[in-house]
Amino acid sequence: MPRYAAAPIAFAVVALMAGAAHARTIAVAPGPDAQERIQTALLDAKPGDVVEIAAGRYELTDGLSLDVDGVTVKGAGPDATVLSFKGQKGAGEGLLVTSDRVTVRDLGVEDTRGDGIKAKGSDQISFVNVRVEWTGGPNEKNGAYGVYPVSSTNVLVDKVVVKGASDAGIYVGQSKNIVVKRSRAEFNVAGIEIENSYNADVHDNVATRNAGGILVFDLPNLPQMGGHSTRVFNNQVVQNDTPNFAPKGNIVASVPTGTGVMVMANRDVHVFGNEIDGNQSAGVMLVSYVQKFDDKSYNPLPRDVVVRDNRIGRNGWDPKFDGGPLLALLAGGQIRVMWDGVTSFGATTEPVRVRLADGPVLNLRLAGPGQLDTAKPTVQPTFGEAALPEPPAVTLPAAQAALTD
């Protein structure tokens, strides 16, 4: 190696070692002025530091924020370290993260006026062993999202529990390279939602007692569109029966109570190896986006969707959408897998391909999105292409992979 090339490499190694040597733990204990002391710790932290919040209950009146790279915010456990925002004066998040290589772990967040924990524009953002809960139960006045990374890359959600969100418990939006695993979402409007995102693995989670279990959506007029390449596998999507309590006008307000898995306007989505049972409207639904939009680049149709090898029990016996009871009767008393059957829209030329192997499959064969009056429903044992390639597994950076046991 030339001598002039070795010098900057050696300098970088020394700088990294120096940063590690100066890494410290900033401890915060319960007591008076907890709001100020936690926020000061987050402001004073340097890359590599750990802000360690001791066991106890912290009554907070305002949101917290972190904009320093490379910081870990750590409690003593999701039921031991509890950040309560019941007295929060503003309508913002409980904790807002806007920096990279941040881990939030081992703590609970309760009763925020807005979202529980939000990360915006972060790279390598990790939520591990975290609980976010609205303790009064389902209510449209609860915060919209529990754990909410948006416009982020390399997202890890592991062993997270969210209860009571008025939109989605675990929501990942407009992000890339995502793993959501070993988590539990219950009593939310949507349990887990992947929206306008690229490359996501959602696996080994439990979505139960929500209005809808797991949603994969793509919406128009957002900075990142064209959501694609999501694998939903080895989850339990069971007994989603909480009445939809989303505020009127929210897109998830249209999700029928008792929806297991819903794919809307997204591409290259594979749903396999899941247990899907006890969802009264449908086990799996593939639907188009039906609201008006003016974005000519937007494709409102689901395409390249595979539903295979799931353990689908009793679903769709009492559908909560227009025409649902009649369709359930047509499908033999249950709706296991339903597709709106729309294969073209406007000037879009992208082919619509599906492989639906977990029938019976109810194909509505609509002429266009939401055009229920054109329905020509059929029921088939299976439907669609012989094979569609599965998206590759998501790989996170080694530092994030090391966070999980």
Side-chain angles (χ1 to χ4, degrees):
M1 179 185 296
R3 182 177 298 174
Y4 60 81
I9 294 175
F11 177 80
V13 171
V14 170
L16 285 172
M17 292 177 64
H22 288 94
R24 57 187 175 145
T25 297
I26 305 173
V28 182
D33 304 319
Q35 176 86 47
E36 181 178 353
R37 289 185 292 109
I38 295 175
Q39 185 59 71
T40 298
L42 296 173
L43 290 170
D44 289 347
K46 300 292 189 294
D49 286 353
V50 176
V51 175
E52 189 169 280
I53 307 174
R57 187 172 186 84
Y58 299 77
E59 302 290 345
L60 307 177
T61 58
D62 201 359
L64 303 167
S65 61
L66 173 66
D67 65 357
V68 181
D69 294 343
V71 172
T72 295
V73 181
K74 184 179 187 299
D79 295 314
T81 298
V82 178
L83 308 182
S84 172
F85 292 85
K86 205 158 197 173
Q88 188 174 8
K89 296 176 181 177
E93 304 83 8
L95 172 62
L96 173 63
V97 177
T98 54
S99 47
D100 300 335
R101 302 185 309 282
V102 168
T103 299
V104 181
R105 64 177 306 153
D106 306 326
L107 53 79
V109 171
E110 293 182 355
D111 299 319
T112 55
R113 292 281 299 276
D115 306 318
I117 308 173
K118 180 177 180 178
K120 185 174 182 180
S122 298
D123 179 53
Q124 297 187 46
I125 177 69
S126 303
F127 308 89
V128 180
N129 195 32
V130 167
R131 176 178 61 89
V132 178
E133 183 173 358
W134 284 268
T135 59
N139 190 311
E140 68 172 13
K141 295 182 180 180
N142 292 350
Y145 306 113
V147 168
Y148 179 21
V150 64
S151 301
S152 297
T153 55
N154 296 311
V155 173
L156 172 64
V157 179
D158 184 20
K159 294 188 288 187
V160 166
V161 175
V162 182
K163 300 179 182 180
S166 66
D167 195 306
I170 298 170
Y171 173 98
V172 185
Q174 301 176 64
S175 296
K176 304 174 184 177
N177 224 46
I178 301 146
V179 173
V180 179
K181 66 178 183 176
R182 300 189 300 182
S183 295
R184 185 179 185 91
E186 57 182 331
F187 298 107
N188 309 287
V189 175
I192 300 171
E193 183 171 350
I194 307 297
E195 187 175 280
N196 290 62
S197 291
Y198 309 158
N199 306 104
D201 276 350
V202 180
H203 66 92
D204 296 288
N205 304 288
V206 177
T208 185
R209 310 307 299 272
N210 309 284
I214 299 178
L215 314 181
V216 183
F217 282 6
D218 197 68
L219 303 179
N221 301 307
L222 292 175
Q224 177 172 297
M225 296 192 308
H228 65 81
S229 305
T230 296
R231 302 192 307 163
V232 177
F233 61 99
N234 296 350
N235 302 284
Q236 294 181 53
V237 188
V238 296
Q239 201 176 343
N240 287 286
D241 56 7
T242 293
N244 193 316
F245 59 98
K248 291 182 179 179
N250 286 19
I251 185 66
V252 292
S254 63
V255 174
T257 295
T259 300
V261 177
M262 177 183 282
V263 180
M264 184 181 74
N266 213 289
R267 174 173 62 85
D268 205 9
V269 180
H270 286 231
V271 180
F272 60 95
N274 303 283
E275 178 187 355
I276 304 173
D277 187 35
N279 307 292
Q280 69 192 85
S281 283
V284 182
M285 300 176 68
L286 281 62
V287 298
S288 303
Y289 181 78
V290 299
Q291 298 185 15
K292 292 182 179 180
F293 62 92
D294 55 10
D295 188 337
K296 294 182 179 180
S297 67
Y298 178 65
N299 189 333
L301 311 183
R303 59 259 185 231
D304 286 6
V305 179
V306 172
V307 179
R308 62 168 178 85
D309 301 318
N310 297 285
R311 300 177 301 283
I312 300 184
R314 182 172 182 256
N315 295 276
W317 68 90
D318 183 21
K320 298 302 182 184
F321 53 84
D322 289 345
L326 183 60
L327 290 172
L329 185 64
L330 176 66
Q334 296 185 45
I335 298 176
R336 289 165 60 91
V337 179
M338 185 180 80
W339 176 37
D340 68 7
V342 181
T343 58
S344 63
F345 179 83
T348 59
T349 58
E350 191 175 4
V352 173
R353 300 174 296 185
V354 297
R355 179 190 172 202
L356 308 177
D358 293 337
V361 177
L362 174 62
N363 180 0
L364 301 185
R365 299 199 300 161
L366 303 185
Q371 296 179 19
L372 293 175
D373 57 329
T374 68
K376 298 177 181 178
T378 62
V379 180
Q380 299 171 242
T382 62
F383 187 88
E385 305 289 328
L388 289 169
E390 184 178 316
V394 174
T395 302
L396 295 174
Q400 282 181 293
L403 292 172
T404 63
D405 31 275

